């Protein structure tokens, strides 16, 4: 088979009807471009929604749970071992929420290869007080450097920065809602009042806005030392340990492992966000369905145009066969055309998809709840471009195959006699 | 009858099954010898075109046997039949079938490129030579869709000649031309037979045309009348 000759004939067919060829390629371009745009945009939005909650959630959260002991003292007694034990109205006893020997626990957790980092917290109920107002809230004492490294805290600071918190033991980052209610702002002063009655005057060095009103109206961050000082605790006092892993898939088994190893409550991200996960998977499902629909529609478009293309060339097929081209060669000529249209349309589709994605990426999108987002989120991931292009080629191959195969089988006599 | 036979058909039978069984060719047998200019005549529906398509190897559904240069053609696989058509048979149709998007020179050259016995330059030179022979060399670089009917038929003849085939077959090659152009085409055929010792087998219903050929095979109701 003289491929050069076949390419020459295919090229003539394509270029002598340039307009039609371009329209055919345009069908591919639009299909693939739209697929890419939609994929990047939808996954971008999904990523935003996921990030809103998931990024901030530790993969494993270790804390001391308040609750009655699983095994009551009666159960330890051998004397009643064979009896049915019923105890009514069990109440949890007052316990400290501190994690015992947290320092060594953190050290040991850090040594696991799956663990990316550990951020200890000192969480406490507090009252914010400025002037005459006392406001109920929660303060988290954090190891600033570690927290910033592991969690996107920085992204939610709308004024000031976390640096000041690192340096200054008397600094606080207030939730946006808290600051508004206290009508204070950056560089303002606020007093923290612990449940035990300790009072600590602090300087506001940053404002925090997560986008979740419930959190913003109560949450504030201080240096972990400041929190300990407020509660009158010593170094080593920790109430929560947040663990970030390299691979989120390890969260559940590791959480179970830690829970039994340290006799502590360990919640993995999947359990903590079960409902959120459902939402994510449904959104992903919608993305897939829409993407596949687009690709299928694009595929039919390609098929349609190529089919017409070949139908119009019945005369040429008959002539080529009459002068000695075999069915396989005729088929090859049309396959070359189909693939050329697919490749060209596909490349243009990549450019179109990329252009539209960038355009959306630069479209302003401002919401009060999402302070760090200024434009629509777009996830320009190479995989969608690869899928889009591969589909363009594969679809035009199959779309070209059916009519080209028809051309292969076509009997020239039917055409020559038919006129 | 001492010359070598170029085409020999023995006992060709052909049926059309749609819409109903129709026995279109009945026991057709004949020879065409090298250097002969033969015409097949007959009324519409006498089966002459059907016979030509079988002889041209494009129609393979028939009973009987067909030999080209004493080589049995019947039953060869499709790819081989394509090669046989390419090398040994030249076609001229009633409707001057050219590839519209290609230049005249390309149209003439394509069968030779396909055969790939000569280099592109040699083929170009041969095609140009043929165009000159048929007095249409000035059309070489025109698109085939831009030339007149008489010119197209000459291009088709040039294309049929490019691979120096064993035989040229024509299906009413003058049927679509005015009498002046028809005369021209006939003159060209006549010249080719004498000058190049070509074998021609032409289906026609033009009595004047047929009268000027070496031999007339008359067909009626699917049979050859002798």
């Amino acid at each position: 088979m003289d491929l050069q000759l076949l390419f020459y004939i295919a090229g003539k067919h394509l270029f002598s009807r340039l307009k039609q060829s371009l329209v055919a390629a345009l069908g591919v371009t639009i299909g693939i471009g739209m697929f890419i745009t939609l994929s990047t945009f939808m996954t971008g939005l999904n990523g935003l929604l996921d990030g809103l909650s998931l990024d901030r959630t530790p993969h494993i959260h270790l804390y001391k749970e308040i609750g009655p002991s699983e095994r009551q003292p009666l159960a330890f007694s051998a004397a009643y071992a064979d009896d049915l034990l019923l105890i009514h109205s069990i109440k949890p006893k007052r316990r400290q929420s501190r994690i015992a020997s947290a320092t060594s626990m953190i050290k040991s957790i850090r040594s696991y290869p799956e663990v990316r980092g550990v951020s200890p917290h000192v969480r406490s109920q507090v009252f914010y007080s400025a002037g005459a107002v006392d406001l109920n809230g929660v303060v988290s004492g954090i190891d600033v450097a570690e927290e910033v490294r592991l969690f996107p805290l920085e992204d939610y600071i709308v004024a000031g920065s976390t640096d000041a918190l690192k340096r200054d033991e008397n600094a606080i980052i207030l939730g946006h809602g808290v600051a508004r209610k206290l009508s204070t702002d950056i560089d303002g002063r606020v007093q923290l009042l612990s449940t035990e009655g300790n009072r600590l005057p602090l300087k506001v060095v940053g404002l925090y806005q997560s986008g979740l009103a419930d959190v913003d109206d109560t949450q504030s961050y201080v240096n972990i030392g400041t929190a300990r000082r407020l509660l009158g605790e010593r170094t080593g006092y920790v109430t929560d340990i947040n663990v970030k892993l390299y691979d989120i898939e390890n969260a559940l088994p590791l959480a179970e492992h830690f829970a039994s190893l340290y006799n502590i409550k360990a919640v993995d991200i999947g359990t903590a966000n079960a409902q959120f996960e459902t939402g994510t998977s449904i959104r992903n499902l919608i993305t897939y369905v829409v993407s596949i629909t687009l690709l299928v529609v694009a595929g039919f478009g390609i098929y349609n145009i190529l089919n017409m293309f070949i139908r119009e060339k019945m005369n040429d097929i008959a002539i080529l066969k009459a002068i000695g081209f075999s069915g396989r060669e005729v088929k090859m000529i049309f396959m070359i055309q189909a693939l050329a249209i697919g490749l060209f349309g596909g490349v243009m589709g990549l450019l179109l998809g990329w252009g539209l994605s960038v355009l959306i990426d630069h479209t302003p999108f401002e919401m009060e709840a999402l302070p760090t987002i200024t434009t629509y989120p777009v996830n320009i991931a190479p995989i969608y471009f690869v899928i889009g292009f591969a589909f363009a080629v594969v679809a035009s191959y199959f779309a070209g195959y059916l009519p080209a195969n028809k051309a292969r089988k076509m009997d020239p006599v039917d055409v020559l006699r038919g006129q | 009858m001492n010359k070598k036979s170029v085409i020999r058909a023995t006992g060709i039978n052909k049926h059309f099954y749609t819409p109903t069984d129709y026995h279109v060719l009945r026991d057709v047998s004949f020879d065409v010898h090298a250097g002969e200019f033969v015409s097949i005549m007959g009324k519409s529906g006498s089966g002459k075109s059907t016979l030509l398509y079988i002889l041209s190897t494009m129609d393979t559904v028939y009973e009987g046997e067909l030999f080209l240069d004493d080589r049995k053609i019947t039953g060869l696989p499709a790819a081989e039949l394509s090669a046989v058509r390419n090398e040994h048979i030249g076609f001229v149709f009633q409707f001057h079938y050219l590839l519209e998007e290609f230049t005249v020179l390309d149209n003439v050259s394509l069968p030779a490129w396909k055969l790939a016995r000569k280099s592109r330059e040699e083929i170009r030179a041969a095609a140009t030579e043929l165009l000159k022979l048929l007095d249409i060399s000035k059309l070489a670089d025109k698109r085939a869709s831009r030339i007149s009917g008489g010119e197209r038929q000459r291009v088709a003849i040039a294309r049929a000649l490019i691979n120096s085939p064993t035989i040229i077959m024509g299906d009413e090659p003058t049927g679509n031309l005015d009498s002046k152009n028809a005369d021209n085409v006939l003159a060209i055929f006549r010249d080719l037979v004498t000058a190049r010792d070509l074998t021609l087998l032409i289906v026609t219903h033009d009595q004047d045309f047929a009268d000027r050929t070496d031999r007339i095979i008359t067909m009626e109701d699917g049979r050859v009348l002798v």
Side-chain angles (χ1 to χ4, degrees):
Chain A
M1 221 187 276
D2 181 357
L3 277 180
Q4 205 192 341
L5 176 58
L6 302 187
F7 269 102
Y8 177 74
I9 296 171
K12 264 277 157 69
H13 277 168
L14 283 175
F15 285 108
S16 60
R17 293 178 301 171
L18 198 58
K19 217 159 137 196
Q20 244 179 308
S21 310
L22 286 180
V23 169
L26 194 67
V28 182
T29 300
I30 290 176
I32 302 311
M34 286 301 148
F35 163 74
I36 291 172
T37 310
L38 206 85
S39 299
T40 56
F41 190 32
M42 286 187 78
T43 53
L45 282 176
N46 277 353
L48 171 80
L49 290 170
D50 286 357
L52 214 55
S53 166
L54 285 185
D55 279 359
R56 281 181 283 181
T57 313
H59 292 162
I60 300 172
H61 179 202
L62 302 170
Y63 62 100
K64 198 98 182 182
E65 197 177 36
I66 290 181
S69 301
E70 295 250 326
R71 298 188 74 199
Q72 292 295 317
L74 191 60
F76 290 94
S77 164
Y80 303 107
D82 295 333
D83 296 320
L84 176 65
L85 306 175
L86 280 177
I87 308 171
H88 291 281
S89 303
I90 301 174
K91 294 282 181 290
K93 89 173 181 199
R94 179 177 160 73
R95 265 192 296 204
Q96 275 194 309
S97 50
R98 77 173 291 162
I99 297 174
S101 60
T103 316
S104 58
M105 191 189 294
I106 290 167
K107 213 170 143 201
S108 123
I109 293 175
R110 279 203 176 117
S111 68
Y112 281 81
E114 299 96 327
V115 173
R116 203 164 110 204
V118 181
S119 171
H121 277 215
V122 173
R123 277 168 64 85
S124 173
Q125 294 278 340
V126 287
F127 294 105
Y128 304 104
S129 108
V133 191
D134 277 354
L135 209 62
N136 203 344
V138 177
V139 68
S140 290
I142 52 172
D143 176 341
V144 181
E146 193 71 351
E147 182 77 13
V148 167
R149 182 172 77 87
L150 297 176
F151 299 97
L153 180 64
E154 199 84 52
D155 292 350
Y156 299 98
I157 305 294
V158 288
S161 78
T162 53
D163 287 347
L165 203 63
K166 218 182 298 177
R167 291 192 304 267
D168 194 346
E169 286 270 298
N170 292 312
I172 186 166
I173 291 177
L174 274 186
H176 191 262
V178 180
R180 191 169 40 78
K181 286 184 184 170
L182 296 176
S183 42
T184 182
D185 206 337
I186 209 151
D187 289 337
R189 297 243 152 223
V190 61
Q191 288 196 331
L192 280 196
L193 203 62
S194 76
T195 42
E196 269 80 20
N198 295 341
R199 192 175 281 267
L200 209 56
L202 298 170
K203 183 180 159 203
V204 180
V205 296
L207 293 181
Y208 167 86
Q209 190 178 25
S210 66
L212 305 174
D214 272 358
V215 175
D216 294 343
D217 285 353
T218 54
Q219 180 74 52
S220 67
Y221 289 96
V222 295
N223 196 301
I224 194 162
T226 315
R228 285 176 187 143
R229 195 145 52 86
L230 175 69
L231 300 176
E233 297 286 349
R234 283 171 302 171
T235 317
Y237 177 82
V238 169
T239 60
D240 300 74
I241 297 174
N242 289 343
V243 181
K244 192 103 171 185
L245 306 175
Y246 287 105
D247 183 2
I248 198 169
E249 296 300 317
N250 292 326
L252 182 61
L254 265 183
E256 281 170 355
H257 173 68
F258 291 152
S260 69
L261 187 64
Y262 302 122
N263 187 26
I264 199 171
K265 181 79 178 174
V267 178
D268 69 288
I269 189 165
T271 314
N273 290 288
Q275 278 172 321
F276 193 82
E277 292 267 284
T278 314
T280 302
S281 63
I282 287 175
R283 278 198 307 275
N284 282 340
L285 188 68
I286 293 172
T287 308
Y288 293 142
V289 168
V290 172
S291 303
I292 290 169
T293 309
L294 262 177
L295 287 180
V296 167
V297 170
F300 270 102
I302 298 170
Y303 170 74
N304 227 334
I305 286 168
L306 285 174
N307 212 354
M308 247 169 48
F309 226 68
I310 289 174
R311 245 167 231 288
E312 281 180 8
K313 287 280 143 209
M314 282 305 189
N315 268 345
D316 282 26
I317 295 167
I319 298 167
L320 287 171
K321 286 191 170 177
I323 64 177
F325 283 82
S326 69
R328 277 185 60 216
E329 285 166 322
V330 169
K331 179 176 151 191
M332 194 75 176
I333 287 171
F334 287 101
M335 289 308 293
I336 290 169
Q337 296 185 46
L339 284 175
I341 288 173
L343 284 172
F344 179 74
V347 169
M348 298 312 282
L350 294 186
L351 292 178
L352 178 72
W354 184 75
L356 285 176
S357 297
V358 169
L359 190 73
I360 293 172
D361 201 15
H362 284 82
T363 309
F365 172 63
E366 278 168 40
M367 287 180 73
E368 209 190 327
L370 304 165
T372 53
I373 308 293
T374 54
T375 56
Y376 279 98
V378 174
N379 171 28
I380 303 186
I383 181 72
Y384 302 114
F385 292 81
V386 173
I387 292 176
F389 188 71
F391 184 82
V393 175
V394 171
S396 33
Y397 179 84
F398 283 108
Y401 185 87
L402 295 175
N405 208 35
K406 208 184 285 167
R408 177 178 75 80
K409 288 194 205 135
M410 200 206 67
D411 188 351
V413 176
D414 287 341
V415 173
L416 299 177
R417 199 178 5 224
Q419 289 217 358
Chain B
M1 286 285 167
N2 48 5
K3 271 192 158 181
K4 168 171 144 327
S5 100
V6 171
I7 277 202
R8 190 167 82 244
T10 52
I12 303 271
N13 276 282
K14 164 104 184 159
H15 294 259
F16 282 142
Y17 293 103
T18 47
T20 51
D21 187 357
Y22 175 58
H23 199 168
V24 58
L25 293 177
R26 297 161 193 264
D27 271 327
V28 174
S29 303
F30 66 91
D31 282 79
V32 176
H33 302 287
E36 247 189 325
F37 186 179
V38 179
S39 56
I40 303 178
M41 281 209 66
K43 295 197 182 89
S44 258
S46 58
K48 57 189 193 305
S49 285
T50 305
L51 176 63
L52 189 78
Y53 289 125
I54 288 174
L55 299 179
S56 75
T57 76
M58 283 193 277
D59 190 348
T60 51
V61 188
Y62 58 89
E63 293 130 44
E65 286 183 330
L66 179 65
F67 297 85
L68 183 74
D69 263 346
D70 290 326
R71 177 186 176 203
K72 189 175 166 188
I73 295 299
T74 309
L76 283 182
E80 249 173 274
L81 288 178
S82 294
V84 166
R85 278 201 295 278
N86 182 233
E87 193 180 347
H88 298 291
I89 304 176
F91 285 105
V92 184
F93 304 105
Q94 176 177 9
F95 303 97
H96 11 270
Y97 280 106
L98 300 180
L99 300 172
E100 305 278 313
E101 284 114 1
F102 292 71
T103 63
V104 165
L105 198 63
D106 275 352
N107 264 289
V108 176
S109 306
L110 268 179
W113 286 355
K114 165 72 187 113
L115 186 63
R117 288 265 168 81
K118 296 180 189 165
S119 73
R120 293 280 159 107
E121 292 73 39
E122 287 173 307
I123 292 168
R124 257 188 111 75
T128 311
E129 196 60 37
L130 276 173
L131 291 181
K132 207 175 285 170
L133 179 77
L134 295 170
D135 208 18
I136 43 171
S137 48
K138 62 179 187 300
L139 301 177
D141 295 322
K142 278 203 170 181
R143 282 238 310 222
S145 53
R146 300 272 162 84
I147 61 175
S148 75
E151 290 166 341
R152 283 159 165 253
Q153 202 57 300
R154 288 196 222 180
V155 175
I157 295 168
R159 181 179 65 193
L161 289 170
I162 186 77
N163 282 345
S164 309
T166 317
I167 185 165
I168 289 188
M169 297 185 187
D171 186 10
E172 311 251 18
T174 59
N176 206 25
L177 299 177
D178 57 43
S179 59
K180 185 171 153 269
N181 273 313
D183 280 351
N184 256 331
V185 168
L186 181 65
I188 290 166
F189 282 151
R190 204 63 260 183
D191 281 353
L192 291 174
V193 173
T194 35
R196 298 199 156 204
D197 201 25
L198 265 174
T199 312
L200 281 128
L201 179 62
I202 307 292
V203 164
T204 184
H205 61 256
D206 179 350
Q207 189 63 49
D208 291 342
F209 185 103
D211 286 342
R212 292 160 71 181
T213 60
D214 297 343
R215 176 153 70 102
I216 301 175
I217 297 172
T218 310
M219 290 196 65
E220 203 176 290
D221 297 332
R223 284 197 182 84
V224 174
L225 305 182
V226 186

